[in-house]
Amino acid sequence: MMYGYSDEWWVLLCVPVVLWVPFGPFLMAGLGVWCARRPGRWPRLWSVLLPLVPVVVSAVAMSTPLDSWDRAGHTEDFLGYALVYVLGITVLPWALGYGMTRGARAVRGRRKTGSEPRGEPGPEPEGERGLTEP
């Protein structure tokens, strides 16, 4: 029993749901960058575990009670929730962070290895030019 009521424990589950709206996209973008920089098991695992509580709790709140599915428009409401909350706030920022980091790394890698056109020699160093000419 908390604060004199026995039903208030569920509010603790809804706090991450409410906080996920303003902070979730930034966290997911950061996780996408982490996954792009350090491929492996731990970044990917945290990319799934971190949004698990807010997304699952909000999905349960949207889908229950089950008799509300008979109401007209509930399916469209759930589809809108899935598009905005799950894809827009959770998946899209992760994909943008991952894609932008991978793209930046590819461009940097291309600049480092592809600075000289293929087939043409680079400029001669200053010190060697004087040694080869008589």
Side-chain angles (χ1 to χ4, degrees), residues 16-53:
V17 173
V18 173
L19 290 176
W20 191 249
V21 174
F23 301 119
F26 298 109
L27 290 171
M28 290 307 293
L31 285 173
V33 169
W34 187 30
C35 284
R37 284 188 174 181
R38 221 178 252 188
R41 181 179 305 171
W42 290 110
R44 301 229 185 327
L45 183 66
W46 277 106
S47 293
V48 172
L49 290 179
L50 186 70
L52 195 65
V53 170

Side-chain angles (χ1 to χ4, degrees), residues 57-68:
V57 169
S58 62
V60 168
M62 275 297 292
S63 61
T64 56
L66 295 177
D67 58 346
S68 67

Side-chain angles (χ1 to χ4, degrees), residues 29-30 32-38 94-108:
V33 169
W34 187 30
C35 284
R37 284 188 174 181
R38 221 178 252 188
W94 186 92
L96 287 174
Y98 183 83
M100 289 172 57
T101 303
R102 295 294 289 193
R105 291 181 96 188
V107 168
R108 283 186 196 145

